[in-house]
Amino acid sequence: MAKATTKAKKTDVADEAASASKQIDARIAELGDWRGATLARIRKLIKEADPDVVEEWKWRGVPVWEHAGIICTGETYKAVVKMTFAKGAALQDPTGLFNSSLDGNVRRAIDIREGEAINEEALKALILAAVELNLSAQTSRSGRPRKKA
C-alpha cells in the first residue's frame, strides 16, 4: 500500500508541474507583447542553466522556478519583467545583473525593460549559483538533529 501511495504522490507532483508549466505558457501567450517574449526567454535560459528545475505557479499567478527551494520568480509589470531571486543577497553578482531590491537583506531582483539585452551567460551563472546555494542549505539542514516534539 505504501508503494501505491508513493506512486500516487509522484504522479500528483508531475501533474502539478505540468499544470504550472501550462499556466506559465498561458501567461506568456496572454501577454502577447515584449513582456511575454521576455518571460519566455528567461524561462528558456533558466531551463538551459538547470534542466532539473521545477516550475511552480504561486501567489495568485506568479511563475516560480525551484530546485531544492526557490531559485527565482518571474513577475510581469507594465514597464518591466522582474526576476526576483529568493536568496539573491547571498549570491555573488560580478557582472552586476541585480538592479532592483538592492537594499533588502535576502532578495535581489533583475528588472528587464523593453529592448534591454540580457547577458545570458551571466544570468545562467547566477541561476546555477542560486541552485548551489539551495542545495548547500538543504544539505546543512539535513545534517542537523531534529527537535523533539
Side-chain angles (χ1 to χ4, degrees), residues 56-70:
E56 297 285 342
W57 186 256
K58 295 185 178 188
W59 309 301
R60 297 184 199 162
V62 177
V64 178
W65 290 275
E66 298 185 354
H67 185 152
I70 295 175

Side-chain angles (χ1 to χ4, degrees), residues 89-107:
L91 300 174
Q92 296 295 314
D93 181 22
T95 60
L97 290 177
F98 290 131
N99 61 9
S100 183
S101 305
L102 301 175
D103 295 332
N105 292 331
V106 181
R107 294 182 217 42

Side-chain angles (χ1 to χ4, degrees), residues 76-136:
T76 53
Y77 299 96
K78 186 175 181 180
V80 298
V81 173
K82 181 183 286 286
M83 290 183 72
T84 303
F85 284 74
K87 298 176 186 173
L91 300 174
Q92 296 295 314
D93 181 22
T95 60
L97 290 177
F98 290 131
N99 61 9
S100 183
S101 305
L102 301 175
D103 295 332
N105 292 331
V106 181
R107 294 182 217 42
R108 293 285 184 275
I110 302 169
D111 286 352
I112 305 166
R113 289 172 176 71
E114 185 174 8
E116 282 186 342
I118 299 172
N119 182 336
E120 294 183 1
E121 293 308 311
L123 183 57
K124 287 179 183 180
L126 201 56
I127 291 161
L128 287 175
V131 170
E132 289 174 16
L133 181 61
N134 285 350
L135 290 170
S136 69

